[in-house]
């Protein structure tokens, strides 16, 4: 499970743990292990009142604002980089998201059950070894969000 593990990152590295790689990807069996592990972690904290008011758990409204500002800050560069692949409909969708993303996300957050979210859950924040569950690192963006 994604819950605390007895070994530190250093000890995992010494035991030949393999860091995930965003570019190279992972084998399907590793991906399945990641999904199952995250599902167990989220299920254990599903609608858990202990997530409310914890200083280390980012609350939904702040997470939404940060995500939306990140989108807004990177949109122009994204559009410039992928201009040849983006059609008018794609650009219209991006403009719609820019205007309505907060409203859409708030509706989702109000309807969906909340649980613990990592905040930056990607392969290069996962270590793999012989154990069935990966070690998840880089928890500074942890928050309460829809599961």
């Amino acid at each position: 499970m994604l819950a605390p593990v007895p070994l530190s990152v250093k000890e995992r590295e010494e035991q030949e743990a393999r860091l995930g790689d965003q570019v190279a990807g992972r084998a399907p069996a590793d991906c399945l292990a990641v999904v199952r592990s995250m599902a167990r972690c989220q299920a254990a904290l599903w609608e858990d009142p202990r997530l409310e008011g914890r200083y280390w758990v980012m609350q939904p409204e702040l997470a939404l604002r940060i995500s939306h500002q990140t989108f807004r800050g990177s949109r122009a560069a994204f559009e410039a980089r992928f201009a040849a692949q983006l059609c008018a409909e794609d650009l219209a969708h991006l403009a719609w998201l820019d205007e309505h993303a907060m409203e859409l996300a708030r509706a989702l957050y109000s309807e969906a059950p909340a649980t613990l979210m990592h905040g930056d859950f990607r392969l290069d924040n996962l270590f793999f070894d012989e154990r069935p569950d990966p070690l998840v690192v880089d928890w500074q963006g942890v928050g309460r969000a829809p599961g």
Side-chain angles (χ1 to χ4, degrees):
M1 188 161 121
L2 291 177
V5 293
L7 294 180
S8 70
V9 171
K10 182 174 178 358
E11 289 168 318
R12 279 250 171 147
E13 288 173 341
E14 291 169 357
Q15 293 185 8
E16 304 289 329
R18 299 167 315 280
L19 180 63
D21 184 324
Q22 288 293 101
V23 176
R26 295 298 302 178
D30 286 338
C31 296
L32 181 59
V34 168
V35 170
R36 286 181 172 159
S37 188
M38 180 54 81
R40 284 193 306 275
C41 176
Q42 289 184 337
L45 296 165
W46 202 256
E47 291 290 0
D48 192 322
R50 294 175 298 173
L51 296 177
E52 291 286 337
R54 302 285 179 168
Y55 74 90
W56 51 270
V57 176
M58 189 181 317
Q59 293 305 306
E61 184 65 26
L62 178 58
L64 290 176
R65 289 196 318 262
I66 290 171
S67 295
H68 194 228
Q69 288 305 318
T70 301
F71 169 79
R72 284 185 158 168
S74 61
R75 180 178 163 201
F78 176 84
E79 289 178 7
R81 180 172 182 184
F82 296 102
Q85 290 92 6
L86 295 171
C87 66
E89 186 178 11
D90 296 329
L91 295 172
H93 285 133
L94 289 170
W96 186 91
L97 275 175
D98 198 350
E99 186 175 337
H100 298 285
M102 291 295 291
E103 171 188 341
L104 182 65
R106 283 184 183 118
L108 171 65
Y109 275 50
S110 71
E111 298 293 324
T115 189
L116 189 72
M117 289 294 186
H118 180 274
D120 192 18
F121 198 71
R122 53 193 226 170
L123 278 173
D124 57 359
N125 284 331
L126 302 171
F127 283 89
F128 297 87
D129 60 17
E130 72 286 346
R131 282 167 261 210
D133 294 314
L135 172 66
V136 182
V137 297
D138 192 16
W139 285 87
Q140 80 265 11
V142 67
R144 184 179 157 275

